[in-house]
């Protein structure tokens, strides 16, 4: 069975984006034996989209902090200007996260097993 692996990002606080691998179908985690769809890489890039922190409360009264993109009146996401240092850091981080010989942001399972476990 072929497993498709895609590099994705999640907005987090302080204008950053956390990079993770998304698996389809789920793979078995060797540490605990449970199926998993994501593996966070511990790599971060500076996001060029303005974000804001929103506190929400669930039915049990527990507070959650969500990071959502800021939008303008038309509903489009607001962009921010990155400094040259932030742009260089983003390029270097993405080069690390993207495997050589990959097809855009997809990895094959063989490469992942050889280099990432």
């Amino acid at each position: 069975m072929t497993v498709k692996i895609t590099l994705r990002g999640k907005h987090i606080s302080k204008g950053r984006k956390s990079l993770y691998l998304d698996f389809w179908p789920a793979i078995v985690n060797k540490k605990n034996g449970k199926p998993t769809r994501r593996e966070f890489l511990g790599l971060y890039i500076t996001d060029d989209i303005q974000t804001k922190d929103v506190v929400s409360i669930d039915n049990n009264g527990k507070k959650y902090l969500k990071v959502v993109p800021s939008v303008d009146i038309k509903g489009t996401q607001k962009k921010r200007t990155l400094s040259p240092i932030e742009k260089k850091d983003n390029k270097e981080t993405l080069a690390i996260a993207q495997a050589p010989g990959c097809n855009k942001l997809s990895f094959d399972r063989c490469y992942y097993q050889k280099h990432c476990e």
Side-chain angles (χ1 to χ4, degrees):
M1 175 168 55
T2 303
V3 176
K4 294 181 182 178
I5 304 172
T6 306
L7 179 66
R8 297 189 188 272
K10 177 182 178 182
H11 296 285
I12 59 173
S13 63
K14 299 180 184 174
R16 298 176 301 158
K17 188 183 276 191
S18 174
L19 299 177
Y20 67 92
L21 297 176
D22 183 26
F23 304 102
W24 180 255
I27 62 169
V28 176
N29 186 338
K30 290 185 178 182
K31 293 180 183 176
N32 59 19
K34 295 180 181 178
T36 183
R37 287 275 324 271
R38 292 171 198 84
E39 181 173 336
F40 285 86
L41 300 174
L43 299 173
Y44 307 97
I45 59 173
T46 305
D47 202 358
D48 64 344
I49 296 174
Q50 290 182 9
T51 58
K52 58 183 175 184
D53 296 339
V54 177
V55 177
S56 60
I57 301 173
D58 66 359
N59 295 337
N60 299 328
K62 188 173 181 179
K63 291 184 179 181
Y64 291 96
L65 181 67
K66 293 182 181 178
V67 180
V68 295
S70 299
V71 293
D72 60 10
I73 297 172
K74 295 179 183 177
T76 58
Q77 295 179 344
K78 293 181 182 178
K79 296 275 186 175
R80 66 185 201 103
T81 305
L82 298 179
S83 70
I85 294 171
E86 291 172 329
K87 288 180 183 178
K88 181 182 177 194
D89 186 47
N90 283 354
K91 287 179 185 176
E92 291 172 355
T93 304
L94 285 173
I96 293 169
Q98 294 174 351
C102 70
N103 182 7
K104 292 189 180 179
L105 297 178
S106 296
F107 297 89
D108 63 337
R109 184 175 185 173
C110 180
Y111 182 87
Y112 177 76
Q113 288 177 342
K114 288 180 183 175
H115 296 90
C116 299
E117 289 185 341

